[in-house]
Amino acid sequence: MTQIAPSMLSADFLHLEKDVRLVNGHADLFHLDIMDGVFVPNISYGFPVVRAIASIARKPLDAHLMIVSPEKYIERFAEAGASMLSFHLNASEDPSAALGMIRKCGMKAGIAINPDIPAESLFPYLSECDFVLIMSVFAGFGGQKFIETTYSRIETVRNEIRSRGLDCLIEVDGGVSGKNAAALKSAGADILVAGSAVFGADDPAAAIASMR
């Protein structure tokens, strides 16, 4: 079954506990977008918010690092409560070493790529990843329009995973909604990240159900 991971960047930060409990009750993961204002031109939130979410979370925390030198912070995200951690391929000098660090800290390890990075660039690392994150918008801002070439990129990676008999999930982030969830699943996506489509909906629980 497709996993749904609401992006907490779109949550109501004045009433964060309410939205955390919503995810606890209806979704599969908490997706945490961590931005440093350097790798991407935006700043989101850091360890205090991650720890606050972790304190009442009953679903795994999926941290997506959009930061330079992600290796510096891997251990701290594990300590803060993350269960999954991904970093951008072009943000790390040694992706294999970073993946090893993540696993050593007891987390599932993943690599993320923006739409302008060839899907094939993930191939050398697939055997070292528990999951890969294919961005369907450019990292750094919420509410962007879904990029249609994402479907073929997912298929490219899925075919490689299958041909090598690997156990690696595909996560998709950006512009995901009930309108394209079925097509994304058909292309090979296992985890769908959705922000505004969940927290901006009149009935977030129903929005999650429709995507699943």
Short mmCIF file of all heavy atoms in Angstrom, two decimals, residues 9-69:
data_model
loop_
_atom_site.label_atom_id
_atom_site.label_comp_id
_atom_site.label_asym_id
_atom_site.label_seq_id
_atom_site.Cartn_x
_atom_site.Cartn_y
_atom_site.Cartn_z
N LEU A 9 5.85 21.16 6.93
CA LEU A 9 6.11 22.56 6.57
C LEU A 9 4.82 23.30 6.28
O LEU A 9 4.73 24.52 6.42
CB LEU A 9 7.04 22.62 5.35
CG LEU A 9 7.60 23.98 4.96
CD1 LEU A 9 8.48 24.55 6.06
CD2 LEU A 9 8.38 23.88 3.66
N SER A 10 3.77 22.55 5.88
CA SER A 10 2.48 23.16 5.57
C SER A 10 1.52 23.13 6.76
O SER A 10 0.37 23.56 6.64
CB SER A 10 1.82 22.42 4.39
OG SER A 10 2.59 22.57 3.22
N ALA A 11 1.99 22.62 7.89
CA ALA A 11 1.14 22.55 9.08
C ALA A 11 0.93 23.94 9.68
O ALA A 11 1.62 24.91 9.32
CB ALA A 11 1.77 21.62 10.11
N ASP A 12 -0.01 24.04 10.59
CA ASP A 12 -0.29 25.28 11.32
C ASP A 12 0.64 25.34 12.53
O ASP A 12 0.42 24.64 13.52
CB ASP A 12 -1.76 25.29 11.75
CG ASP A 12 -2.14 26.56 12.51
OD1 ASP A 12 -1.25 27.38 12.80
OD2 ASP A 12 -3.33 26.72 12.83
N PHE A 13 1.67 26.15 12.45
CA PHE A 13 2.68 26.16 13.52
C PHE A 13 2.18 26.82 14.80
O PHE A 13 2.81 26.68 15.84
CB PHE A 13 3.97 26.81 13.02
CG PHE A 13 4.84 25.86 12.26
CD1 PHE A 13 4.54 25.52 10.96
CD2 PHE A 13 5.93 25.26 12.85
CE1 PHE A 13 5.31 24.61 10.25
CE2 PHE A 13 6.72 24.35 12.16
CZ PHE A 13 6.41 24.02 10.85
N LEU A 14 1.07 27.52 14.74
CA LEU A 14 0.45 28.03 15.97
C LEU A 14 -0.32 26.93 16.69
O LEU A 14 -0.59 27.04 17.88
CB LEU A 14 -0.49 29.20 15.65
CG LEU A 14 0.18 30.55 15.41
CD1 LEU A 14 -0.88 31.59 15.05
CD2 LEU A 14 0.97 31.01 16.63
N HIS A 15 -0.66 25.87 15.94
CA HIS A 15 -1.41 24.76 16.51
C HIS A 15 -0.76 23.45 16.04
O HIS A 15 -1.44 22.55 15.55
CB HIS A 15 -2.88 24.81 16.10
CG HIS A 15 -3.54 26.11 16.47
ND1 HIS A 15 -3.60 27.18 15.61
CD2 HIS A 15 -4.16 26.49 17.62
CE1 HIS A 15 -4.24 28.18 16.21
NE2 HIS A 15 -4.58 27.79 17.42
N LEU A 16 0.54 23.36 16.22
CA LEU A 16 1.30 22.24 15.68
C LEU A 16 0.87 20.91 16.30
O LEU A 16 0.79 19.89 15.60
CB LEU A 16 2.79 22.46 15.88
CG LEU A 16 3.74 21.48 15.20
CD1 LEU A 16 3.49 21.45 13.69
CD2 LEU A 16 5.19 21.85 15.49
N GLU A 17 0.58 20.91 17.58
CA GLU A 17 0.19 19.66 18.23
C GLU A 17 -1.06 19.07 17.57
O GLU A 17 -1.15 17.85 17.36
CB GLU A 17 -0.08 19.88 19.71
CG GLU A 17 -0.47 18.60 20.45
CD GLU A 17 -0.66 18.80 21.94
OE1 GLU A 17 -0.42 19.92 22.44
OE2 GLU A 17 -1.05 17.82 22.61
N LYS A 18 -1.99 19.92 17.21
CA LYS A 18 -3.23 19.46 16.56
C LYS A 18 -2.90 18.75 15.24
O LYS A 18 -3.43 17.67 14.95
CB LYS A 18 -4.16 20.64 16.29
CG LYS A 18 -5.39 20.30 15.43
CD LYS A 18 -6.25 21.52 15.17
CE LYS A 18 -5.59 22.54 14.28
NZ LYS A 18 -5.42 22.08 12.87
N ASP A 19 -2.01 19.33 14.46
CA ASP A 19 -1.67 18.73 13.17
C ASP A 19 -0.81 17.48 13.32
O ASP A 19 -0.90 16.56 12.51
CB ASP A 19 -0.98 19.77 12.28
CG ASP A 19 -1.97 20.78 11.71
OD1 ASP A 19 -3.18 20.55 11.84
OD2 ASP A 19 -1.53 21.80 11.14
N VAL A 20 0.01 17.44 14.35
CA VAL A 20 0.77 16.21 14.62
C VAL A 20 -0.18 15.07 14.95
O VAL A 20 -0.03 13.95 14.45
CB VAL A 20 1.77 16.42 15.78
CG1 VAL A 20 2.38 15.09 16.21
CG2 VAL A 20 2.88 17.38 15.36
N ARG A 21 -1.19 15.35 15.75
CA ARG A 21 -2.15 14.30 16.11
C ARG A 21 -2.98 13.88 14.89
O ARG A 21 -3.39 12.71 14.80
CB ARG A 21 -3.03 14.77 17.26
CG ARG A 21 -2.24 15.03 18.54
CD ARG A 21 -3.10 15.14 19.78
NE ARG A 21 -2.29 15.51 20.94
CZ ARG A 21 -1.53 14.67 21.62
NH1 ARG A 21 -1.45 13.40 21.26
NH2 ARG A 21 -0.84 15.08 22.66
N LEU A 22 -3.20 14.80 13.97
CA LEU A 22 -3.89 14.43 12.73
C LEU A 22 -3.08 13.40 11.97
O LEU A 22 -3.61 12.38 11.49
CB LEU A 22 -4.10 15.68 11.86
CG LEU A 22 -4.54 15.41 10.41
CD1 LEU A 22 -5.97 14.90 10.38
CD2 LEU A 22 -4.39 16.66 9.56
N VAL A 23 -1.78 13.63 11.84
CA VAL A 23 -0.91 12.69 11.14
C VAL A 23 -0.86 11.36 11.88
O VAL A 23 -0.93 10.29 11.27
CB VAL A 23 0.51 13.27 10.97
CG1 VAL A 23 1.46 12.25 10.38
CG2 VAL A 23 0.47 14.51 10.09
N ASN A 24 -0.78 11.42 13.20
CA ASN A 24 -0.79 10.19 14.00
C ASN A 24 -1.99 9.31 13.67
O ASN A 24 -1.90 8.10 13.65
CB ASN A 24 -0.82 10.53 15.49
CG ASN A 24 0.55 10.81 16.08
OD1 ASN A 24 1.56 10.34 15.57
ND2 ASN A 24 0.60 11.58 17.15
N GLY A 25 -3.12 9.97 13.43
CA GLY A 25 -4.36 9.23 13.25
C GLY A 25 -4.65 8.78 11.84
O GLY A 25 -5.42 7.83 11.64
N HIS A 26 -4.04 9.42 10.84
CA HIS A 26 -4.47 9.15 9.47
C HIS A 26 -3.36 8.87 8.46
O HIS A 26 -3.62 8.23 7.45
CB HIS A 26 -5.33 10.31 8.96
CG HIS A 26 -6.59 10.51 9.73
ND1 HIS A 26 -7.70 9.70 9.56
CD2 HIS A 26 -6.91 11.40 10.71
CE1 HIS A 26 -8.66 10.10 10.38
NE2 HIS A 26 -8.21 11.13 11.10
N ALA A 27 -2.16 9.37 8.69
CA ALA A 27 -1.08 9.20 7.71
C ALA A 27 -0.08 8.15 8.17
O ALA A 27 -0.26 7.50 9.21
CB ALA A 27 -0.39 10.54 7.44
N ASP A 28 0.99 7.97 7.41
CA ASP A 28 1.97 6.93 7.70
C ASP A 28 3.30 7.47 8.21
O ASP A 28 4.01 6.78 8.94
CB ASP A 28 2.23 6.11 6.43
CG ASP A 28 0.95 5.51 5.87
OD1 ASP A 28 0.41 4.59 6.50
OD2 ASP A 28 0.48 6.01 4.82
N LEU A 29 3.65 8.68 7.80
CA LEU A 29 4.93 9.27 8.15
C LEU A 29 4.76 10.76 8.39
O LEU A 29 3.82 11.38 7.88
CB LEU A 29 5.95 9.09 7.02
CG LEU A 29 6.30 7.68 6.55
CD1 LEU A 29 7.06 7.76 5.22
CD2 LEU A 29 7.14 6.96 7.59
N PHE A 30 5.68 11.34 9.13
CA PHE A 30 5.82 12.80 9.22
C PHE A 30 6.98 13.19 8.31
O PHE A 30 8.11 12.75 8.54
CB PHE A 30 6.17 13.23 10.64
CG PHE A 30 5.08 13.07 11.65
CD1 PHE A 30 4.92 11.86 12.33
CD2 PHE A 30 4.23 14.11 11.96
CE1 PHE A 30 3.93 11.70 13.28
CE2 PHE A 30 3.23 13.97 12.90
CZ PHE A 30 3.08 12.76 13.56
N HIS A 31 6.72 14.01 7.29
CA HIS A 31 7.80 14.46 6.42
C HIS A 31 8.27 15.83 6.91
O HIS A 31 7.48 16.78 7.00
CB HIS A 31 7.32 14.56 4.97
CG HIS A 31 8.43 14.87 4.01
ND1 HIS A 31 9.31 13.91 3.56
CD2 HIS A 31 8.80 16.03 3.42
CE1 HIS A 31 10.17 14.46 2.74
NE2 HIS A 31 9.90 15.76 2.64
N LEU A 32 9.56 15.92 7.23
CA LEU A 32 10.13 17.14 7.80
C LEU A 32 11.11 17.76 6.81
O LEU A 32 12.16 17.19 6.51
CB LEU A 32 10.85 16.82 9.11
CG LEU A 32 10.05 16.01 10.14
CD1 LEU A 32 10.90 15.74 11.38
CD2 LEU A 32 8.76 16.73 10.52
N ASP A 33 10.76 18.93 6.28
CA ASP A 33 11.61 19.64 5.31
C ASP A 33 12.56 20.55 6.06
O ASP A 33 12.14 21.57 6.64
CB ASP A 33 10.74 20.45 4.35
CG ASP A 33 9.97 19.57 3.40
OD1 ASP A 33 10.60 18.75 2.72
OD2 ASP A 33 8.73 19.69 3.33
N ILE A 34 13.84 20.22 6.02
CA ILE A 34 14.86 20.98 6.74
C ILE A 34 15.67 21.81 5.74
O ILE A 34 16.40 21.26 4.92
CB ILE A 34 15.80 20.05 7.53
CG1 ILE A 34 14.99 19.05 8.38
CG2 ILE A 34 16.75 20.87 8.39
CD1 ILE A 34 14.10 19.67 9.42
N MET A 35 15.54 23.13 5.81
CA MET A 35 16.20 24.03 4.86
C MET A 35 17.13 24.98 5.60
O MET A 35 16.80 25.48 6.68
CB MET A 35 15.15 24.86 4.10
CG MET A 35 14.05 24.05 3.47
SD MET A 35 12.84 25.13 2.64
CE MET A 35 11.49 23.99 2.41
N ASP A 36 18.29 25.25 4.99
CA ASP A 36 19.30 26.05 5.67
C ASP A 36 19.50 27.45 5.11
O ASP A 36 20.32 28.21 5.61
CB ASP A 36 20.64 25.31 5.67
CG ASP A 36 21.22 25.10 4.27
OD1 ASP A 36 20.56 25.49 3.28
OD2 ASP A 36 22.32 24.53 4.16
N GLY A 37 18.79 27.80 4.03
CA GLY A 37 18.97 29.12 3.43
C GLY A 37 20.23 29.23 2.60
O GLY A 37 20.54 30.30 2.07
N VAL A 38 20.97 28.13 2.44
CA VAL A 38 22.19 28.10 1.65
C VAL A 38 22.02 27.15 0.46
O VAL A 38 22.10 27.56 -0.69
CB VAL A 38 23.41 27.68 2.50
CG1 VAL A 38 24.68 27.65 1.64
CG2 VAL A 38 23.57 28.61 3.69
N PHE A 39 21.75 25.89 0.74
CA PHE A 39 21.50 24.94 -0.35
C PHE A 39 20.23 25.30 -1.10
O PHE A 39 20.15 25.14 -2.32
CB PHE A 39 21.41 23.51 0.21
CG PHE A 39 21.23 22.47 -0.86
CD1 PHE A 39 22.31 22.10 -1.67
CD2 PHE A 39 20.01 21.87 -1.07
CE1 PHE A 39 22.15 21.16 -2.67
CE2 PHE A 39 19.84 20.92 -2.07
CZ PHE A 39 20.91 20.57 -2.87
N VAL A 40 19.24 25.78 -0.38
CA VAL A 40 18.01 26.31 -0.98
C VAL A 40 17.78 27.72 -0.44
O VAL A 40 18.20 28.03 0.67
CB VAL A 40 16.79 25.41 -0.67
CG1 VAL A 40 16.93 24.06 -1.36
CG2 VAL A 40 16.59 25.23 0.83
N PRO A 41 17.10 28.59 -1.19
CA PRO A 41 16.92 29.98 -0.76
C PRO A 41 15.75 30.16 0.21
O PRO A 41 14.89 30.99 0.02
CB PRO A 41 16.68 30.71 -2.08
CG PRO A 41 15.98 29.70 -2.92
CD PRO A 41 16.61 28.38 -2.57
N ASN A 42 15.73 29.35 1.23
CA ASN A 42 14.67 29.45 2.23
C ASN A 42 15.17 28.81 3.51
O ASN A 42 16.10 28.00 3.50
CB ASN A 42 13.40 28.75 1.73
CG ASN A 42 12.14 29.32 2.36
OD1 ASN A 42 12.21 30.11 3.28
ND2 ASN A 42 10.99 28.92 1.84
N ILE A 43 14.54 29.16 4.63
CA ILE A 43 14.87 28.58 5.93
C ILE A 43 13.58 28.05 6.53
O ILE A 43 12.55 28.72 6.49
CB ILE A 43 15.50 29.63 6.87
CG1 ILE A 43 16.85 30.11 6.29
CG2 ILE A 43 15.70 29.06 8.27
CD1 ILE A 43 17.47 31.25 7.07
N SER A 44 13.61 26.83 7.05
CA SER A 44 12.39 26.26 7.62
C SER A 44 12.47 26.19 9.13
O SER A 44 12.20 27.16 9.83
CB SER A 44 12.11 24.88 7.00
OG SER A 44 13.19 23.99 7.21
N TYR A 45 12.86 25.06 9.67
CA TYR A 45 12.93 24.89 11.12
C TYR A 45 14.04 23.89 11.44
O TYR A 45 14.57 23.22 10.55
CB TYR A 45 11.59 24.41 11.69
CG TYR A 45 10.98 23.23 10.97
CD1 TYR A 45 11.41 21.93 11.21
CD2 TYR A 45 9.97 23.41 10.03
CE1 TYR A 45 10.86 20.85 10.55
CE2 TYR A 45 9.41 22.33 9.36
CZ TYR A 45 9.86 21.05 9.63
OH TYR A 45 9.31 19.99 8.95
N GLY A 46 14.38 23.80 12.72
CA GLY A 46 15.50 22.96 13.12
C GLY A 46 15.16 21.99 14.23
O GLY A 46 14.02 21.55 14.38
N PHE A 47 16.15 21.68 15.03
CA PHE A 47 16.04 20.62 16.02
C PHE A 47 14.95 20.83 17.06
O PHE A 47 14.28 19.84 17.43
CB PHE A 47 17.39 20.41 16.71
CG PHE A 47 18.47 19.97 15.75
CD1 PHE A 47 19.49 20.83 15.40
CD2 PHE A 47 18.44 18.71 15.18
CE1 PHE A 47 20.47 20.44 14.51
CE2 PHE A 47 19.42 18.30 14.28
CZ PHE A 47 20.44 19.17 13.95
N PRO A 48 14.70 22.03 17.56
CA PRO A 48 13.63 22.18 18.57
C PRO A 48 12.26 21.73 18.05
O PRO A 48 11.51 21.08 18.78
CB PRO A 48 13.65 23.67 18.90
CG PRO A 48 15.04 24.11 18.61
CD PRO A 48 15.45 23.31 17.40
N VAL A 49 11.96 22.06 16.80
CA VAL A 49 10.67 21.66 16.23
C VAL A 49 10.65 20.15 15.99
O VAL A 49 9.64 19.48 16.26
CB VAL A 49 10.39 22.43 14.92
CG1 VAL A 49 9.15 21.88 14.22
CG2 VAL A 49 10.21 23.92 15.22
N VAL A 50 11.75 19.59 15.50
CA VAL A 50 11.82 18.15 15.28
C VAL A 50 11.60 17.41 16.59
O VAL A 50 10.82 16.45 16.66
CB VAL A 50 13.17 17.75 14.65
CG1 VAL A 50 13.28 16.23 14.54
CG2 VAL A 50 13.33 18.39 13.28
N ARG A 51 12.27 17.86 17.65
CA ARG A 51 12.10 17.20 18.96
C ARG A 51 10.69 17.34 19.48
O ARG A 51 10.14 16.41 20.08
CB ARG A 51 13.10 17.77 19.96
CG ARG A 51 14.54 17.29 19.75
CD ARG A 51 15.42 17.64 20.92
NE ARG A 51 15.61 19.07 21.06
CZ ARG A 51 16.63 19.74 20.52
NH1 ARG A 51 17.55 19.09 19.81
NH2 ARG A 51 16.75 21.05 20.68
N ALA A 52 10.07 18.50 19.24
CA ALA A 52 8.69 18.71 19.70
C ALA A 52 7.73 17.75 19.00
O ALA A 52 6.85 17.16 19.63
CB ALA A 52 8.27 20.16 19.46
N ILE A 53 7.91 17.59 17.69
CA ILE A 53 7.07 16.66 16.94
C ILE A 53 7.31 15.23 17.42
O ILE A 53 6.38 14.46 17.65
CB ILE A 53 7.34 16.78 15.42
CG1 ILE A 53 6.86 18.14 14.91
CG2 ILE A 53 6.64 15.65 14.65
CD1 ILE A 53 7.26 18.44 13.47
N ALA A 54 8.58 14.88 17.59
CA ALA A 54 8.93 13.53 18.02
C ALA A 54 8.34 13.18 19.39
O ALA A 54 8.05 12.02 19.66
CB ALA A 54 10.45 13.36 18.05
N SER A 55 8.15 14.19 20.22
CA SER A 55 7.67 13.93 21.59
C SER A 55 6.27 13.36 21.63
O SER A 55 5.90 12.68 22.60
CB SER A 55 7.74 15.22 22.43
OG SER A 55 6.77 16.16 21.99
N ILE A 56 5.47 13.60 20.57
CA ILE A 56 4.11 13.05 20.56
C ILE A 56 3.81 12.24 19.31
O ILE A 56 2.71 11.74 19.13
CB ILE A 56 3.04 14.15 20.73
CG1 ILE A 56 3.14 15.21 19.62
CG2 ILE A 56 3.12 14.80 22.09
CD1 ILE A 56 1.99 16.20 19.63
N ALA A 57 4.81 12.08 18.45
CA ALA A 57 4.60 11.35 17.20
C ALA A 57 4.47 9.86 17.46
O ALA A 57 5.23 9.27 18.24
CB ALA A 57 5.76 11.61 16.25
N ARG A 58 3.51 9.25 16.79
CA ARG A 58 3.34 7.80 16.83
C ARG A 58 3.62 7.19 15.46
O ARG A 58 3.44 5.99 15.27
CB ARG A 58 1.93 7.44 17.30
CG ARG A 58 1.70 7.74 18.77
CD ARG A 58 0.40 7.14 19.29
NE ARG A 58 -0.77 7.90 18.84
CZ ARG A 58 -1.62 7.50 17.89
NH1 ARG A 58 -1.43 6.35 17.26
NH2 ARG A 58 -2.67 8.25 17.56
N LYS A 59 4.05 8.01 14.53
CA LYS A 59 4.46 7.55 13.21
C LYS A 59 5.91 7.99 12.99
O LYS A 59 6.35 8.99 13.57
CB LYS A 59 3.55 8.13 12.13
CG LYS A 59 2.07 7.77 12.31
CD LYS A 59 1.82 6.29 12.14
CE LYS A 59 0.38 5.92 12.45
NZ LYS A 59 -0.57 6.43 11.48
N PRO A 60 6.66 7.28 12.14
CA PRO A 60 8.08 7.62 11.94
C PRO A 60 8.27 9.02 11.37
O PRO A 60 7.47 9.50 10.57
CB PRO A 60 8.55 6.55 10.95
CG PRO A 60 7.59 5.41 11.11
CD PRO A 60 6.27 6.06 11.41
N LEU A 61 9.37 9.65 11.78
CA LEU A 61 9.75 10.97 11.27
C LEU A 61 10.72 10.80 10.10
O LEU A 61 11.75 10.14 10.23
CB LEU A 61 10.41 11.80 12.37
CG LEU A 61 9.50 12.64 13.27
CD1 LEU A 61 8.47 11.78 13.97
CD2 LEU A 61 10.32 13.41 14.30
N ASP A 62 10.36 11.41 8.98
CA ASP A 62 11.11 11.31 7.73
C ASP A 62 11.72 12.68 7.45
O ASP A 62 11.04 13.58 6.96
CB ASP A 62 10.14 10.87 6.62
CG ASP A 62 10.70 11.03 5.22
OD1 ASP A 62 11.93 10.94 5.07
OD2 ASP A 62 9.89 11.23 4.29
N ALA A 63 13.00 12.83 7.76
CA ALA A 63 13.66 14.13 7.62
C ALA A 63 14.33 14.26 6.26
O ALA A 63 15.14 13.41 5.87
CB ALA A 63 14.70 14.32 8.73
N HIS A 64 13.98 15.31 5.54
CA HIS A 64 14.52 15.60 4.21
C HIS A 64 15.44 16.82 4.34
O HIS A 64 14.96 17.95 4.51
CB HIS A 64 13.36 15.87 3.25
CG HIS A 64 13.77 16.42 1.92
ND1 HIS A 64 12.89 17.12 1.11
CD2 HIS A 64 14.94 16.37 1.24
CE1 HIS A 64 13.51 17.47 0.00
NE2 HIS A 64 14.76 17.04 0.06
N LEU A 65 16.74 16.58 4.30
CA LEU A 65 17.72 17.65 4.50
C LEU A 65 18.03 18.37 3.20
O LEU A 65 18.60 17.79 2.27
CB LEU A 65 19.01 17.10 5.10
CG LEU A 65 18.91 16.28 6.38
CD1 LEU A 65 20.31 16.01 6.94
CD2 LEU A 65 18.03 16.96 7.42
N MET A 66 17.66 19.63 3.14
CA MET A 66 18.01 20.50 2.02
C MET A 66 19.06 21.47 2.53
O MET A 66 18.84 22.68 2.65
CB MET A 66 16.76 21.22 1.50
CG MET A 66 15.77 20.30 0.83
SD MET A 66 14.15 21.07 0.55
CE MET A 66 13.32 20.56 2.06
N ILE A 67 20.21 20.91 2.88
CA ILE A 67 21.26 21.68 3.54
C ILE A 67 22.62 21.27 2.98
O ILE A 67 22.79 20.16 2.47
CB ILE A 67 21.25 21.46 5.07
CG1 ILE A 67 21.57 20.00 5.42
CG2 ILE A 67 19.89 21.85 5.66
CD1 ILE A 67 21.66 19.73 6.90
N VAL A 68 23.59 22.17 3.10
CA VAL A 68 24.95 21.83 2.70
C VAL A 68 25.61 21.01 3.82
O VAL A 68 25.23 21.11 4.99
CB VAL A 68 25.79 23.10 2.41
CG1 VAL A 68 25.21 23.87 1.23
CG2 VAL A 68 25.85 24.01 3.64
N SER A 69 26.56 20.20 3.44
CA SER A 69 27.30 19.35 4.39
C SER A 69 26.38 18.61 5.36
O SER A 69 26.48 18.75 6.58
CB SER A 69 28.31 20.20 5.18
OG SER A 69 29.20 20.87 4.33
#
